[in-house]
Amino acid sequence: MTAALTTPQPVVTPPPSEPGGSGKRRRPHDEPPRWQICLPLGVYLVFTLVPFYWMLLFALREPGSDSLVPWPITGEHFAKVWNERGFDTYFVNSMYVGIASMLMTLLVALSGGYALARFKFRMRMPFMLALLCSQFIPGALMLVPLFEIFRELTLLNSLWSVIIAETVFQLPLSMILISGFIRNVPPSLEEQAWVDGCSRFRAFLAVVLPLLRPGLVAVGSFAFVHSWNHFLFALMFLNSQDKQTIPVGLNTLLGSDSVDLGALAAGGVVAAVPVVIVFAFIQRWLITGFSAGAVKG
């Protein structure tokens, strides 16, 4: 036995390199050249970044300047839209609408998605089909019924009318996505918590909810961005200027005779910065969440 343990293993020598070769690893035949990958990505990057640069150019350069470089940099346009055009109020209203609709969407979608993922009932598949079909209905078709409902509830010219409308229209897709995330959590984990004495709700909070964090970040971020950028509901349901959101505020900068491009670009930067910050901080969770939700459906 000792001899068997001390027997030296045969040395595997690498195959000799081809004559005249440089010793570098050869590219497989099915791998495309690097330029075929970098060139389309570079073109796409240019088409993506040029509009942002153009917006920053008009927002940062001095009024009346036609330079292609924003120098000297000025904050006059930002001060104008923030102090004179009421964008400080628009920003707070948009943030309130975005956060409230995101929380309400996640709360209702969690309960509905859990029911779709864990319970088997007769009308489950037709219900999911109805949720999918509801995504084909444009929001403009529902403006008149929603307007009448909110008028009866005395919610017109209230931010809650926009929050409720945004939540209702984001719920179907959010519920389907979260149900896919919950299906990826093994039911045996909940069953072990039940054996230990947890109720279904406590087991959900202690076992399932922590595992849904990437999915919740993905769904919540898109709910926030959709509410932040939506224009139609805020335009129809809000009348007072102190209740308007940023998309409606940008529309007020478009005059019938002339357009202040500097102020409009500065308002666009104010509207884009929160969205860019959100996606910059949650991109890791976002990719993880969508890859996890795409495994099972």
Side-chain angles (χ1 to χ4, degrees), residues 105-239:
T105 300
L106 288 178
L107 182 63
V108 181
L110 263 178
S111 57
Y114 183 84
L116 292 175
R118 289 291 189 258
F119 298 106
K120 305 298 181 183
F121 49 93
R122 181 175 299 177
M123 299 298 294
R124 176 173 169 271
M125 295 307 297
F127 180 73
M128 294 189 66
L129 181 61
L131 290 178
L132 288 174
C133 292
S134 66
Q135 299 301 298
F136 297 101
I137 302 176
L141 294 180
M142 304 301 295
L143 283 178
V144 175
L146 287 175
F147 188 89
E148 293 296 329
I149 292 173
F150 291 145
R151 186 177 63 177
E152 294 295 330
L153 296 176
T154 64
L155 288 178
L156 288 179
N157 201 29
S158 172
L159 293 178
W160 279 104
S161 60
V162 181
I163 294 171
I164 294 173
E166 292 288 346
T167 303
V168 169
F169 275 88
Q170 294 176 49
L171 266 180
L173 183 59
S174 300
M175 195 178 300
I176 293 173
L177 289 176
I178 290 183
S179 67
F181 298 138
I182 295 176
R183 288 193 190 97
N184 292 330
V185 180
S188 58
L189 297 178
E190 289 184 87
E191 295 172 358
Q192 293 176 7
W194 299 344
V195 172
D196 292 337
C198 292
S199 62
R200 181 181 289 272
F201 182 70
R202 185 181 178 91
F204 173 78
L205 294 180
V207 178
V208 180
L209 190 60
L211 299 177
L212 297 179
R213 189 178 303 171
L216 294 179
V217 171
V219 174
S221 61
F222 273 94
F224 174 82
V225 172
H226 185 274
S227 302
W228 179 272
N229 293 329
H230 206 197
F231 170 76
L232 194 58
F233 290 155
L235 178 67
M236 294 299 298
F237 302 147
L238 303 176
N239 301 323

Side-chain angles (χ1 to χ4, degrees), residues 211-286:
L211 299 177
L212 297 179
R213 189 178 303 171
L216 294 179
V217 171
V219 174
S221 61
F222 273 94
F224 174 82
V225 172
H226 185 274
S227 302
W228 179 272
N229 293 329
H230 206 197
F231 170 76
L232 194 58
F233 290 155
L235 178 67
M236 294 299 298
F237 302 147
L238 303 176
N239 301 323
S240 303
Q241 186 176 359
D242 59 341
K243 299 289 185 180
Q244 299 291 354
T245 58
I246 281 185
V248 182
L250 289 174
N251 185 60
T252 60
L253 298 177
L254 299 174
S256 57
D257 299 329
S258 61
V259 178
D260 190 348
L261 294 179
L264 186 62
V269 173
V270 173
V273 164
V275 178
V276 173
I277 293 176
V278 167
F279 278 100
F281 277 99
I282 68 170
Q283 59 178 343
R284 178 173 63 90
W285 297 95
L286 196 65

Side-chain angles (χ1 to χ4, degrees), residues 78-93 241-246 249 252-253:
F78 290 96
K80 181 179 181 180
V81 298
W82 193 263
N83 299 323
E84 300 179 11
R85 296 302 186 97
F87 265 67
D88 53 345
T89 304
Y90 302 153
F91 186 88
V92 174
N93 293 338
Q241 186 176 359
D242 59 341
K243 299 289 185 180
Q244 299 291 354
T245 58
I246 281 185
T252 60
L253 298 177

